[in-house]
């Protein structure tokens, strides 16, 4: 896997409206090339709603024309029942595997159990929530022997806003640690007199 990471705007933050416009323009430029050359590509977005808006060409992505060669796979149901959502995801997965869909707009939900060996490019619309996720995601490229894959991104300093939010949503709070320790202590006190004390996470 080769890396093609472009640091844009000299690493300086942009006004939010300009940042969003530039990000979408980069995505349009790259998507056009992926589709033209039929490079099987996964585009990872920080949030499901972004992937859906990009697929539909709405809101911040209004200048991104919808294309049937672009699929979507997120953990979000999009208003569908769980059964309908699973079927929808499976259909998109199969289209991507067969090559009917060239580009997959996704979140990290598109990952575990995905075994497609001819993915050329992994593009991160913004930085992953953590390094472990990033390594997992780029590891889906070029699984076919002798193939070269590319981990690509157009990095803007504003991208870190998404990472900070994602990290904040998954971080453990002090009050949560306190509650766990209280539970452990209460269990310990109720088991007084026994030699062994085992706590399962």
């Amino acid at each position: 896997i080769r890396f093609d990471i472009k640091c844009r705007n000299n690493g300086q933050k942009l006004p939010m409206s300009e940042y969003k416009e530039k990000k979408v323009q980069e995505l349009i430029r790259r998507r056009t090339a992926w589709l033209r050359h039929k490079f099987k590509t996964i585009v990872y977005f920080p949030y499901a709603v972004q992937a859906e808006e990009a697929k539909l060409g709405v809101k911040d992505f209004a200048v991104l024309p919808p294309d049937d060669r672009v699929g979507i796979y997120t953990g979000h149901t999009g208003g569908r029942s769980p059964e309908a959502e699973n079927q929808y995801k499976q259909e998109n997965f199969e289209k991507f595997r067969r090559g009917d869909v060239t580009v997959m707009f996704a979140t990290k939900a598109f990952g575990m159990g995905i075994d497609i060996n001819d993915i050329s490019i992994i593009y991160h619309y913004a930085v992953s929530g953590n390094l472990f996720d990033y390594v997992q995601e780029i590891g889906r490229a070029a699984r076919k022997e002798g193939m070269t894959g590319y981990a690509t991104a157009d990095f803007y300093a504003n991208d870190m806003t998404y990472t900070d939010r994602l990290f904040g949503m998954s971080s453990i709070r002090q009050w949560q640690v306190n509650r766990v320790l209280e539970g452990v202590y209460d269990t310990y006190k109720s088991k007084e007199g026994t030699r062994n004390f085992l706590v399962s996470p």
Side-chain angles (χ1 to χ4, degrees):
I1 298 173
R2 294 186 178 173
F3 293 85
D4 177 22
I5 313 295
K6 302 285 192 264
C7 187
R8 305 295 186 186
N9 202 46
N10 296 318
Q12 302 298 310
K13 281 196 171 185
L14 293 167
M16 207 54 162
S17 60
E18 185 181 349
Y19 161 69
K20 287 179 178 180
E21 183 181 331
K22 285 185 179 288
K23 289 295 284 188
V24 172
Q25 290 302 322
E26 294 287 358
L27 181 60
I28 289 171
R29 182 181 63 79
R30 288 191 181 265
R31 188 188 79 161
T32 300
W34 300 327
L35 292 172
R36 182 172 60 246
H37 298 293
K38 297 184 179 177
F39 292 141
K40 197 173 277 188
T41 303
I42 302 174
V43 179
Y44 280 108
F45 288 86
Y47 309 123
V49 70
Q50 282 179 311
E52 290 165 6
E53 289 172 0
K55 165 69 176 144
L56 297 172
V58 298
K59 296 192 177 176
D60 291 337
F61 301 91
V63 295
L64 185 66
D67 193 303
D68 290 340
R69 297 169 295 172
V70 177
I72 186 166
Y73 194 110
T74 70
H76 188 255
T77 65
R80 291 177 286 272
S81 70
E83 296 79 19
E85 179 64 16
N86 287 338
Q87 183 178 349
Y88 180 71
K89 287 179 186 177
Q90 190 60 35
E91 288 170 2
N92 277 317
F93 170 78
E94 288 301 328
K95 287 178 185 176
F96 187 61
R97 188 182 56 75
R98 287 192 312 261
D100 300 336
V101 162
T102 306
V103 177
M104 184 67 81
F105 287 172
T107 58
K108 69 179 185 177
F110 189 65
M112 296 307 189
I114 301 302
D115 191 17
I116 300 172
N117 68 0
D118 61 343
I119 297 169
S120 301
I121 298 167
I122 304 295
Y123 180 80
H124 281 84
Y125 188 75
V127 183
S128 293
N130 59 59
L131 184 59
F132 178 76
D133 287 346
Y134 180 74
V135 170
Q136 289 285 320
E137 289 156 6
I138 66 171
R140 297 188 179 109
R143 291 184 174 178
K144 185 189 288 186
E145 191 172 337
M147 184 178 178
T148 300
Y150 293 87
T152 61
D154 294 294
F155 175 77
Y156 288 82
N158 302 62
D159 290 350
M160 296 308 293
T161 304
Y162 298 117
T163 304
D164 294 343
R165 280 192 202 136
L166 290 168
F167 183 75
M169 289 187 320
S170 63
S171 62
I172 298 172
R173 308 288 193 270
Q174 181 67 37
W175 67 268
Q176 292 169 317
V177 174
N178 288 343
R179 289 294 299 272
V180 169
L181 291 176
E182 286 171 11
V184 170
Y185 182 71
D186 290 345
T187 304
Y188 170 74
K189 291 299 284 180
S190 70
K191 302 279 185 190
E192 268 188 304
T194 61
R195 281 190 66 190
N196 298 323
F197 178 63
L198 176 66
V199 178
S200 168

